[in-house]
Amino acid sequence: MTGPILFTERLILRPPAASDFEAWASFSAEAETMRFLGGVVPRETAWRSMCGMAGAWTIRGFAMFSMIHRESGQWIGRTGPWQPEGWPGTEVGWGVARAFAGKGYAHEAAVASIDYAVDVLGWTDIIHTIDPDNAGSIALARRLGSVNRGPSKLPPPLDSFRVDAWGQTAAEWRARRASRLDKVGIA
C-alpha cells in the first residue's frame, strides 16, 4: 500500500488494497449507488477501476482513499482527491455503499479529504463534479461550503455525462474550518 492513512472519528481512509475488491465490486454493482458514478459495471471493470485508483497513488501521489469503518473494518466506500488526465479541476469526490449511505460517512470522509488536499497536497481550489439530478451529493457539496460554478465537461469516455462543478477555494475552506473549530472550542 502506497500512501497515507487518515483517521476520523469513525473511519480509516487509506489507499485501496487487494482486500477491498469484493466490497468494491459489490459497490460497483449497486444500481442506486452507481446511478451518478457512471453506471453499474461488471466485476472485471470494477477490478480495473480499483487498480486504476490504486495506480494513481503511485503515478500521481494521490487518489481516492478506501473508506474503512473503524469499528467493523468493513470497506464502505471511496473518497478523496482525484484528477485523472483531462479532468476539469482538482476534485475531492465520494461514493458510499448503499448499506452505509445517509449516515454522515461521506461528509466525515470528505472533510478529512479536503483537509488533506489543501494542507498536504497544496491544492488551491477544490471541485466536486456532480450530476445536476444528484440531490444527495449536491446537499453534501453545499454542507461542505461549495457553490455551483456551472456546467463542466469530463474527459472521454465520460464526456457525455452532465455535470456541474461545485467548488471553493482553499482560502474559503480554511476560513470555514477556522470558524468551525472556533464554534466547538478547539482553536
Side-chain angles (χ1 to χ4, degrees):
M1 199 178 337
T2 302
I5 299 174
L6 309 180
F7 296 90
T8 70
E9 181 182 341
R10 301 177 295 165
L11 301 170
I12 299 168
L13 306 178
R14 60 155 174 74
S19 59
D20 299 339
F21 179 62
E22 289 304 323
W24 189 294
S26 294
F27 167 90
S28 299
E30 294 176 348
E32 186 59 32
T33 299
M34 295 303 291
R35 178 176 173 208
F36 299 114
L37 298 176
V40 169
V41 297
R43 287 177 62 83
E44 298 80 6
T45 304
W47 173 258
R48 287 190 295 278
S49 169
M50 188 181 86
C51 288
M53 195 70 68
W57 276 104
T58 300
I59 302 298
R60 302 285 310 240
F62 63 86
M64 287 196 189
F65 297 98
S66 280
M67 295 168 51
I68 308 300
H69 189 262
R70 284 180 79 163
E71 190 174 304
S72 70
Q74 289 179 282
W75 186 95
I76 65 171
R78 61 186 190 206
T79 187
W82 188 235
Q83 190 186 25
E85 182 64 27
W87 214 249
T90 46
E91 176 162 18
V92 168
W94 51 80
V96 177
R98 185 179 170 113
F100 297 94
K103 298 179 180 170
Y105 295 122
H107 179 263
E108 187 174 327
V111 167
S113 295
I114 295 172
D115 281 347
Y116 179 79
V118 168
D119 297 340
V120 177
L121 298 178
W123 288 4
T124 58
D125 194 66
I126 303 292
I127 65 165
H128 322 290
T129 55
I130 302 174
D131 184 297
D133 294 329
N134 188 343
S137 281
I138 290 169
L140 178 52
R142 283 187 173 128
R143 185 172 175 205
L144 293 167
S146 293
V147 297
N148 189 343
R149 296 174 173 174
S152 190
K153 191 85 169 157
L154 299 177
L158 308 173
D159 50 334
S160 65
F161 295 159
R162 290 181 327 130
V163 295
D164 288 338
W166 288 75
Q168 62 186 297
T169 66
E172 291 166 332
W173 176 255
R174 285 186 186 105
R176 271 188 210 56
R177 181 172 58 191
S179 174
R180 223 175 29 248
L181 294 176
D182 287 344
K183 288 179 184 173
V184 295
I186 297 174

